[in-house]
Amino acid sequence: MSLSFTRKTEDFKCRNCGTFVIGTGYTNHCPKCLYSEHIDIMPGDRANLCKGMMRPVGIVKKRGEFFIVHKCERCGETKHNRTSENDDREKIIEISVLPV
């Protein structure tokens, strides 16, 4: 298993809302509903066997950047993923008021 991130552009259909997402090589969630999939152990490795849906449960600010807090609906693990300029701002505001 590699310990470094290798950028790989992947397009995908969101399993939550069905939106077709054009990947950038850094895309890790749907910009419409903000859901993700629990597929990585290390960013980009696609080695996680869980494959659960990662529900957006809040927003946190770290080092001047905003991150989506995702919680896996299958195993309960939480992860933080950077927001993207393409993310639905209304959805970000909606989840930003949730207690983290």
Side-chain angles (χ1 to χ4, degrees), residues 54-59 68-71 78 95-100:
M54 300 288 283
R55 182 170 39 94
V57 296
I59 299 287
I68 301 168
V69 180
H70 285 111
K71 182 172 183 174
T78 60
I95 66 169
S96 70
V97 299
L98 300 174
V100 179

Side-chain angles (χ1 to χ4, degrees), residues 35-94:
Y35 268 74
S36 185
E37 292 184 50
H38 199 186
I39 56 175
D40 294 340
I41 295 172
M42 297 296 291
D45 68 8
R46 306 303 188 249
N48 197 312
L49 299 177
C50 178
K51 309 294 188 243
M53 292 300 296
M54 300 288 283
R55 182 170 39 94
V57 296
I59 299 287
V60 295
K61 188 175 182 180
K62 301 190 294 186
R63 301 176 306 275
E65 293 186 78
F66 290 100
F67 289 76
I68 301 168
V69 180
H70 285 111
K71 182 172 183 174
C72 182
E73 295 179 330
R74 178 175 284 166
C75 73
E77 183 175 345
T78 60
K79 292 188 172 211
H80 295 181
N81 292 300
R82 279 187 179 90
T83 57
S84 166
E85 64 184 32
N86 298 330
D87 290 344
D88 182 316
R89 296 295 171 212
E90 294 295 320
K91 196 69 171 167
I92 289 174
I93 291 167
E94 180 184 316

Side-chain angles (χ1 to χ4, degrees), residues 2 5 25:
S2 173
F5 175 73

Side-chain angles (χ1 to χ4, degrees), residues 7-20:
R7 183 177 178 191
K8 182 178 176 189
T9 303
E10 298 173 299
D11 300 337
F12 62 94
K13 182 178 179 181
C14 177
R15 284 181 32 209
N16 181 64
C17 72
T19 297
F20 185 74

